[in-house]
Amino acid sequence: MAVTETLPRNDGIAPTTYHVKAGGQGAALDIRDFNLWYGETQALFENSLEIQKGMVTAMIGPSGCGKSTLLRSLNRMNDLVDGLRISGQIMVDDFDIYGRGVDVIALRKRMGMVFQKPNPFAMSIYDNVTYPLRVDGVTKKSILDDTVERALRSAALWDEAKDRLKESALGMSGGQQQRLCIARAVASDPEVLLMDEPCSALDPIATAKIENLISDLRGQYTIVIVTHSMSQAARVSDNTAFMYLGRIIEYGATETIFTNPKVARTNDYVTGRFG
Amino acid sequence: MSALHEQQIPASGAAGLAGVAARDAAGGRRVRRFSADLSAVGEPALWAFGGALALGIILIAGFLAMIAWNGFSTFWPKPIERVELTSGEVLAGVATRGGPYRPGESTLAQLDDETRAAIAANDGFASRTLYQTANFDLYGDDFRWVSDFEVADITRPEDFFYIERQQWGVFIGRIVSLVVDGEQVEITPDRLSREQRAARQRFTEIRGLERGDIGGINHLIERERLAIRRAEIRLGEDSPEAQAAIAEAQARIAELQAEFQTLQQRVNAIRAEDRTTRITFAEVNGQQVETELSQVVRFFPANALSLPDKIGIYLSRWWEFVSAEPREANTQGGVLPAIFGTVAMTLLMVVFVAPFGVITALYLREYAKQGRVTSIVRISVNNLAGVPSIVYGVFGLGFFAYAMGGTIDQLFYPEALPNPTFGKGGILWASLTLALLTVPVVIVASEEALQAVPRSMREGSLACGASKWQTIRYIVLPKALPGIMTGMILAMARGAGEVAPLMLVGVVKLAPALPVDGFAPFIHLDRSFMHLGFHIFDVGFQSRNSEAGKPMVFVTTVLLLALIITMNATAIYVRNRLKRKYASGEF
Ligand SMILES: Nc1ncnc2c1ncn2[C@@H]1O[C@H](COP(=O)(O)OP(=O)(O)O)[C@@H](O)[C@H]1O
Ligand SMILES: [Mg+2]
C-alpha cells in the first residue's frame, strides 16, 4: 500500500495537530518521534502521541496506514518481525520500552492485548483465562479461581461461562471467544489494554456487547483501540488519532475530530470522502 | 495441462502473426469457445489422473489380495493323494501347485507315440503338479514334480496321515504301531491323541528345563567366570584380594554345577521315560520309520477330516505360528522370537528417534535464524532420506558396533574380551541405525507441524507475557503434536519394514535368546535378535529347501503387514485421542 509513496513535506500532512481532551491523569504512554521500518520500507514516520491514562484512545485511518504497526509497537509484538528497525522512544513511567535492559516479558505483562481475530488457546475456558498467571508462576488454586471470576465478570462473560469453565474454549461462539480473549487480557490486571480491531470478525450484536464492555472498562484501564469503523471510534473513545500513510495527522478529543477537525484531510476521512 | 497447451498453441501462433500477443491470444480462444457446441466433453487430464489412481489402487489391492490369499490358505489342511505312475512307481503327497511346462527332448523320447502326439498338439506343452512328498529322512527331498502323462491312477486313502514332526519335517504315510511304556498297544484315534498330548507335555517339560533352568545356571556360571576374569584384571592376578574373590566365585561355580547335575539328572530321567513311548510310521511303499511319540507335533488323517476338524487344525497351526519358536531351519513352527524382535526393535527405535527428531525440528523452526544455513540443513536432511538403507547399515556397523561398541567393551566389559559384548551387531545398534534412517521423516513432519501452528496462537501467548519457551511448551507443541505423531507413524512404518541395514547390525537367522529375559539386567540390548522381514528373506531364499519355505514367506508377510498395521493403528489411535484431548483442553 501507499506507505512507500514519498510525500512532499508541506502537503498538509505535517505538522501533526494536537488538541487532546482535558481531564486525563497524564500520559500512560508517551510516544516520541517514533519511526519504524520493515526492512527497507518505512511504515511509521515521526509518530508522537501521548496516550492518556484511564481513557479510551481510538486510532483510525485507512487500511495500511500503520495503525496496527503502531499498536504492536506499544508492547513490542513487532519484535517477532525479522529486519525490523525503529528510532525514537516510547515512554512508560519514564522508561523507554525500546531502551536497553528492558524486560520485554514484564512489559507485555503490564499490557493486555486483544487481536483482530479471536485467538483463544486450545484449552478449557478456565485455562485460557488463567494462562497469563500460570506462565507467571502462579499455581495457587484460590488465586486462579478468583482471577477467573473477576476477569470473566469484567469481560461480561461470567454468567455464560461459569457452568462450563472446564469445557474447551473452542466450543464458544465468535463473540464469546473475543470476550474470553478480553478476559484473558485483563486477567493479569494490566495497566493498558491494546485492542486491534477487536470487532472486525464479529456480528453486530457481538460488536455491541464488546463496545458496551469497553465503556465499562473505561477508567479501570488505559485502552488503545484500533478500529476501521468511525462510528465505533465515535461511540467508545475519548480521544482519537487519525493516521494516514504512517503519520499521525491529527490527534484530539473525539468530538472535535468528528465534528470540527482542524486538518482538511481528517475532515475528508471522517466524512467519508476517502478511505 | 496438455489440454491447455493444445488450446494455446494455435491461438498464440495466430497472435504472433498479428503482432499483439496477449489480446489476440485471448480473442482466439474466445472465438473457439463460442464455436464449440454445448455438449459436455469432460476434462481429458482428469481422466488421466483418475486412470492413474485406479491403476495404482488395482495394483496395491491385487498385491495385498495375493499376499492375503497365499498367506491365509497356507495353513489349511489339504488332502493327501496316492499317485500311481505308469512306470509302476507309487508315491503319496500333497499337491501344492502345478502348471504347464515344456518337457525336454530326452523326456519326450521315452514317451509312447500317443502322448507325444498329444503334447505336440498342445504346442509342446504338458502339464505337471508339484507334490509335497515329505519324508525328507527317507527320500532326501521334500518335493517332487509329477507330469500328468506319467500318472496312471490317483486315490485318496483315508488311512494316510499328515504328520508334523519336531525334526525332519513332515511325514506322509500310515501309522503302523504304537508302543506305550515299552508295550505294544492297539491304535485307536482316541488313545493316539491322548498319548501324543502326554508325550508333548514331556517334551515341553524337557525343553523348559533345558532352556529355562539349565540355561539359567549356565548363564550364572558364565557370569562367575567373568567375575573371576574381572578380578584378575582389576586387582592384579596374584593379589590376595583377587585370590579371595576368585575363590569365592569358584565356590559358587561348584554350587551351581551341583545344581546343574541334579537338573540334568531330572532331564535324563524324563528322557528315558520318553524313549519308551514310540510310534512307527510307514510311507506309501511300506518303508518304516520309528521315533519317539513326543517328536510328533501334530498329526491328522488328511483325507478323513470333517470341516470342524480342518478349522481346528487351521487355527492350531496359526496359534503355533504366532506363539512358538521356529523349527526345521525356520521353515516350520512359529515366529514368536521374530515378532518379539521386530516389535522391540521398532519401539526402541521410536524411543531414540522421537526426542532427537523433534528437538532438531524445534531448533530449526523456532530458534535458528532462517537463512542460508537452515536451508542447507533442510536440504541435507531431505537428502538423507534418499540414501540407500544399506549405507546406513554399513555406517551402523562401522560406527555404532565397532567404534562405539568396541570402546564400551574396552571400558566396561574387558573381562569378556576377545568376545565382543557390545562390539558387534545387536538390538541397540540396530535401533540406533534405524533411528538414523528414519529421523529425516520425523524432522520434516515435525517442522511442518510446527509451521502449521497459527501465528495468532503464538502472538496470543506472547502477548500474555509468556516467554518463548513457555509459548512453545504450552501452545505450539501441543498443537503440533498430532502432526509430529504422524511423522512418528511414518517413521515406524518405514523402520519396521526395513531389512537390508539390519542384516549388518544385529539380525540373525536364529537367535539363541530373546533380548528380554528373566536374568538381570533383564533387558539385554547387546543381543542379536530375529526380525520378521529378515525371516521372510531367510525362509524364502536361504533355507535348504526353499520350496518348503515358500508358503511361510506369505504367511510371514501377512504377519509382518498385520504387525505394522497394528502398530500404526495404535499410534493413530493415540494421535486422535491427543487431538481430541487438546481440542477440549483437559490437560
Ligand atoms: N510484518 C510486516 N512486514 C513488512 N511489512 C509490513 C508488516 N506488517 C505490516 N507491514 C506493512 O506496513 C504497513 C502498515 O501496516 P498495518 O500497520 O498493518 O496497517 P493497518 O493496521 O493500519 O491496516 C502496510 O503497508 C503493511 O504492508
Ligand atoms: Mg491492522
Side-chain angles (χ1 to χ4, degrees):
Chain A
M1 260 290 316
V3 172
T4 44
E5 232 172 71
T6 46
L7 290 158
R9 280 294 299 195
N10 287 321
D11 68 339
I13 288 184
T16 311
T17 312
Y18 290 113
H19 40 89
V20 184
K21 186 179 178 183
Q25 308 152 358
L29 288 154
D30 187 1
I31 303 164
R32 297 180 186 163
D33 288 326
F34 194 72
N35 292 285
L36 183 144
W37 293 262
Y38 287 119
E40 293 305 306
T41 321
Q42 188 162 6
L44 296 180
F45 298 83
E46 294 155 22
N47 288 179
S48 290
L49 202 63
E50 277 188 20
I51 288 166
Q52 298 299 308
K53 218 172 252 175
M55 288 190 165
V56 180
T57 305
M59 293 207 251
I60 59 170
S63 109
C65 68
K67 305 179 298 288
S68 299
T69 303
L70 182 57
L71 190 77
R72 292 160 62 86
S73 301
L74 300 180
N75 67 345
R76 291 187 60 171
M77 285 304 280
N78 280 331
D79 287 13
L80 303 178
V81 179
D82 275 340
L84 185 96
R85 257 179 332 119
I86 61 115
S87 74
Q89 293 150 347
I90 295 177
M91 308 297 291
V92 176
D93 297 347
D94 300 327
F95 245 109
D96 179 8
I97 63 167
Y98 282 93
R100 220 176 277 177
V102 168
D103 181 353
V104 179
I105 290 176
L107 171 77
R108 290 186 187 142
K109 280 177 183 151
R110 293 174 61 168
M111 305 198 183
M113 189 164 200
V114 179
F115 296 80
Q116 202 162 339
K117 258 176 64 189
N119 60 348
F121 305 133
M123 308 170 176
S124 66
I125 295 172
Y126 184 95
D127 286 344
N128 259 284
V129 178
T130 54
Y131 187 78
L133 278 81
R134 286 184 295 133
V135 297
D136 208 12
V138 179
T139 50
K140 211 167 158 205
K141 182 106 177 33
S142 60
I143 298 181
L144 295 179
D145 287 349
D146 290 350
T147 305
V148 169
E149 181 165 353
R150 176 182 57 73
L152 286 176
R153 276 190 196 283
S154 6
L157 196 60
W158 176 248
D159 292 332
E160 288 154 79
K162 65 170 185 281
D163 297 324
R164 45 189 285 203
L165 291 177
K166 291 289 163 197
E167 282 170 40
S168 170
L170 304 182
M172 301 201 296
S173 74
Q176 288 175 324
Q177 288 190 358
Q178 192 64 305
R179 276 182 284 148
L180 179 67
C181 291
I182 294 176
R184 188 174 70 193
V186 300
S188 57
D189 207 12
E191 291 149 28
V192 182
L193 215 48
L194 307 174
M195 299 182 165
D196 191 350
E197 304 193 22
C199 303
S200 65
L202 304 182
D203 60 70
I205 294 174
T207 302
K209 279 190 182 159
I210 303 265
E211 283 179 10
N212 286 340
L213 183 55
I214 294 170
S215 308
D216 293 347
L217 294 174
R218 160 190 285 149
Q220 287 181 53
Y221 303 100
T222 304
I223 299 177
V224 185
I225 178 169
V226 168
T227 176
H228 61 258
S229 151
M230 278 170 283
S231 57
Q232 185 172 67
R235 277 196 298 273
V236 302
S237 68
D238 299 300
N239 292 315
T240 298
F242 170 59
M243 288 184 75
Y244 182 60
L245 298 182
R247 293 170 204 274
I248 295 170
I249 305 299
E250 185 164 354
Y251 176 43
T254 301
E255 309 92 75
T256 322
I257 294 279
F258 281 96
T259 54
N260 187 21
K262 302 279 183 286
V263 183
R265 201 177 283 274
T266 315
N267 194 35
D268 289 351
Y269 183 72
V270 297
T271 54
R273 228 166 286 165
F274 86 100
Chain B
M1 195 62 220
S2 67
L4 220 82
H5 275 294
E6 276 163 33
Q7 281 192 342
Q8 272 175 349
I9 288 163
S12 56
L17 288 175
V20 250
R23 277 189 53 201
D24 250 296
R29 258 209 305 276
R30 191 174 304 141
V31 170
R32 285 167 74 93
R33 199 179 300 152
F34 275 113
S35 65
D37 65 19
L38 290 176
S39 60
V41 282
E43 190 83 58
L46 199 62
W47 281 98
F49 298 153
L53 177 68
L55 190 68
I57 290 175
I58 289 170
L59 282 176
I60 291 172
F63 167 73
L64 288 178
M66 182 197 77
I67 288 175
W69 168 250
N70 280 295
F72 284 112
S73 65
T74 297
F75 287 150
W76 189 253
K78 293 172 197 70
I80 297 169
E81 293 182 345
R82 180 179 181 279
V83 184
E84 265 184 59
L85 302 183
T86 44
S87 61
E89 206 183 328
V90 180
L91 60 93
V94 174
T96 55
R97 61 193 170 93
Y101 80 115
R102 201 187 276 276
E105 286 297 325
S106 54
T107 324
L108 285 173
Q110 289 163 10
L111 298 175
D112 60 58
D113 293 338
E114 207 179 317
T115 334
R116 210 166 18 223
I119 292 173
N122 197 19
D123 288 339
F125 281 101
S127 63
R128 60 180 180 174
T129 309
L130 183 67
Y131 279 97
Q132 183 200 8
T133 55
N135 309 0
F136 190 84
D137 40 346
L138 297 179
Y139 306 158
D141 206 346
D142 272 322
F143 289 85
R144 177 162 172 190
W145 281 108
V146 176
S147 303
D148 285 1
F149 55 74
E150 288 180 278
V151 176
D153 184 33
I154 295 182
T155 52
R156 292 184 176 180
E158 298 224 325
D159 57 344
F160 270 49
F161 277 80
Y162 189 92
I163 302 155
E164 294 168 29
R165 296 177 293 181
Q166 190 68 37
Q167 277 165 18
W168 295 110
V170 176
F171 190 93
I172 290 177
R174 298 187 177 82
I175 294 176
V176 179
S177 71
L178 178 65
V179 174
V180 176
D181 296 333
E183 280 170 47
Q184 185 93 21
V185 297
E186 196 195 339
I187 303 172
T188 61
D190 224 28
R191 181 78 195 257
L192 201 55
S193 39
R194 190 150 36 87
E195 294 297 343
Q196 188 256 356
R197 267 200 298 277
R200 279 312 278 176
Q201 223 143 44
R202 283 195 296 274
F203 181 85
T204 320
E205 196 180 347
I206 294 172
R207 168 127 330 173
L209 283 171
E210 282 181 337
R211 284 278 170 85
D213 302 10
I214 296 183
I217 289 177
N218 281 335
H219 184 86
L220 293 176
I221 291 178
E222 182 56 26
R223 215 193 292 176
E224 294 301 338
R225 290 224 175 87
L226 290 178
I228 294 176
R229 274 293 292 149
R230 194 162 45 232
E232 284 174 358
I233 295 171
R234 299 250 164 95
L235 305 170
E237 226 161 297
D238 304 319
S239 71
E241 295 100 317
Q243 292 301 332
I246 290 169
E248 216 175 293
Q250 264 160 352
R252 274 197 299 270
I253 288 179
E255 253 171 66
L256 287 167
Q257 264 161 351
E259 234 175 285
F260 178 89
Q261 290 301 335
T262 22
L263 279 174
Q264 191 64 54
Q265 271 159 15
R266 244 174 77 200
V267 169
N268 289 344
I270 303 173
R271 273 244 168 80
E273 188 200 337
D274 189 52
R275 264 197 292 275
T276 60
T277 299
R278 309 181 71 80
I279 188 165
T280 310
F281 321 119
E283 51 90 78
V284 61
N285 294 313
Q287 218 180 329
Q288 294 197 347
V289 169
E290 195 204 18
T291 174
E292 291 94 26
L293 184 56
S294 60
Q295 286 286 311
V296 175
V297 177
R298 187 182 294 108
F299 67 101
F300 52 88
N303 299 331
L305 292 175
S306 63
L307 186 65
D309 288 342
K310 287 186 182 175
I311 293 173
I313 291 164
Y314 183 73
L315 294 180
S316 107
R317 279 173 163 175
W318 265 110
W319 174 244
E320 186 193 3
F321 185 65
V322 296
S323 69
E325 291 183 13
R327 49 193 163 82
E328 281 301 293
N330 294 356
T331 58
Q332 308 245 317
V335 289
L336 183 65
I339 297 175
F340 188 89
T342 310
V343 173
M345 188 213 58
T346 309
L347 294 183
L348 206 56
M349 176 197 84
V350 170
V351 167
F352 291 127
V353 81
F356 189 59
V358 173
I359 289 171
T360 310
L362 258 185
Y363 183 79
L364 265 182
R365 177 57 52 197
E366 302 288 331
Y367 287 99
K369 194 168 151 45
Q370 305 299 315
R372 193 184 298 258
V373 179
T374 45
S375 306
I376 290 174
V377 169
R378 265 190 205 110
I379 292 169
S380 313
V381 165
N382 278 316
N383 282 338
L384 267 187
V387 173
S389 55
I390 192 75
V391 175
Y392 284 96
V394 174
F395 175 80
L397 183 69
F399 180 72
F400 290 134
Y402 291 162
M404 279 174 69
T407 316
I408 291 174
D409 279 358
Q410 258 157 28
L411 294 177
F412 301 107
Y413 301 97
E415 65 275 9
L417 286 173
N419 289 338
T421 310
F422 278 97
K424 58 171 174 45
I427 193 164
L428 176 66
W429 303 141
S431 345
L432 275 173
T433 306
L434 281 196
L436 212 59
L437 182 99
T438 50
V439 82
V441 181
V442 178
I443 293 179
V444 170
S446 305
E447 264 210 84
E448 265 164 24
L450 290 172
Q451 200 177 6
V453 176
R455 211 185 133 95
S456 65
M457 289 286 150
R458 297 162 197 266
E459 288 189 341
S461 168
L462 290 169
C464 285
S467 67
K468 184 163 188 171
W469 170 242
Q470 284 172 326
T471 300
I472 290 173
R473 168 79 186 68
Y474 298 119
I475 306 295
V476 177
L477 271 185
K479 193 101 180 146
L481 204 57
I484 293 173
M485 286 284 293
T486 305
M488 306 295 292
I489 292 166
L490 289 175
M492 240 166 74
R494 168 109 205 257
E498 194 62 71
V499 179
L502 298 181
M503 287 157 64
L504 298 179
V505 289
V507 151
V508 288
K509 182 186 171 71
L510 195 64
L514 292 180
V516 174
D517 64 18
F519 303 110
F522 307 115
I523 298 173
H524 308 273
L525 295 180
D526 57 313
R527 282 192 188 160
S528 46
F529 61 105
M530 290 173 71
H531 186 277
L532 284 173
F534 181 72
H535 196 82
I536 292 171
F537 171 69
D538 176 63
V539 160
F541 308 100
Q542 302 287 293
S543 61
R544 83 172 146 79
N545 191 341
S546 66
E547 195 62 52
K550 211 174 251 169
M552 297 301 265
V553 169
F554 287 106
V555 183
T556 316
T557 308
V558 165
L559 191 69
L560 180 58
L561 286 181
L563 202 68
I564 293 177
I565 290 170
T566 311
M567 285 198 278
N568 282 351
T570 315
I572 289 170
Y573 172 75
V574 171
R575 181 187 67 186
N576 291 349
R577 274 201 47 161
L578 284 177
K579 241 186 213 164
R580 248 187 324 225
K581 200 167 169 189
Y582 286 118
S584 65
E586 301 160 20
F587 67 99

